[in-house]
Amino acid sequence: MIAQIDRAYLTGGQPRRIAARQIRATIMKRVTFLGLAVFLAGCGGGPRDPDRVVTMRATPVAYGPISKACLQSGREGRSRELCGCIQAAADKTLSSSQQRRSIAFYSNPHLAQEIRQSDRPVDEQFWEAYVNYGRLAEQLCS
C-alpha cells in the first residue's frame, strides 16, 4: 500500500493533487487571517476629542439565587446590574448553602436580626461570613 502511494506521488497521481489542495487551503487561511488582523488593527482609530470622556466602570455581574431574590424583592432601586453585582459579591464570600440561607432575608428581614443575636456557633459563623459579604458588596456595587 505504501509503495503504491509513493508511486502515485512520483507520477503525479491522486495523492499529489490532494496534497497540493491542502497546501493551497492552508495558505488561503493564513492570508485570510492576516488580512482580517490588518483590517481589525485599523478599526477604532481616528481623532480623539478631549472634551468627550467616557468612563467605563468594571462592575462584576453574576446570576444566582441571591440576584434572583433581589430582583423579585420589590425594593426600590433594584436593577439587573445591582442585583448581579450583589450576586458576584456573594459568590466570592458565601458558600452555596450560605447563599440559600441568606435569601430568606429578602422576604423576612427580621430573620437576619435573629441570626445576628443567636449564640449558636453555626449562626455566628454564618453571620461573620454575611458581614464580610455585605462589606464586599458595598465596595463593588456602590
Side-chain angles (χ1 to χ4, degrees):
M1 180 69 167
I2 294 175
Q4 290 174 344
I5 293 173
D6 287 342
R7 262 184 276 141
Y9 271 100
L10 294 174
T11 60
Q14 182 71 12
R16 187 171 182 181
R17 280 185 241 131
I18 292 172
R21 285 185 199 141
Q22 290 173 342
I23 291 171
R24 281 194 297 267
T26 302
I27 291 172
M28 286 303 295
K29 286 179 188 175
R30 289 181 182 172
V31 169
T32 302
F33 285 124
L34 179 63
L36 184 61
V38 169
F39 173 75
L40 291 176
C43 292
R48 302 280 182 217
D49 185 3
D51 296 328
R52 184 175 165 224
V53 177
V54 178
T55 304
M56 298 296 287
R57 182 174 166 211
T59 303
V61 177
Y63 183 77
I66 291 181
S67 67
K68 185 177 178 183
C70 173
L71 287 169
Q72 293 174 350
S73 69
R75 295 184 181 171
E76 286 187 39
R78 73 183 191 280
S79 66
R80 286 189 185 274
E81 183 181 69
L82 177 61
C83 294
C85 183
I86 291 169
Q87 178 67 51
D91 288 343
K92 292 182 180 184
T93 56
L94 298 175
S95 69
S96 58
S97 62
Q98 290 171 332
Q99 288 184 30
R100 286 191 303 272
R101 188 174 185 189
S102 64
I103 290 172
F105 298 164
Y106 284 95
S107 60
N108 184 5
H110 182 68
L111 181 60
Q113 183 69 11
E114 291 175 7
I115 292 173
R116 185 179 74 82
Q117 292 177 339
S118 172
D119 291 333
R120 293 177 45 205
V122 173
D123 290 340
E124 290 175 353
Q125 183 182 11
F126 169 76
W127 191 253
E128 184 179 335
Y130 191 78
V131 167
N132 290 334
Y133 151 68
R135 286 186 190 133
L136 181 62
E138 188 175 5
Q139 289 174 357
L140 294 176
C141 307
S142 298

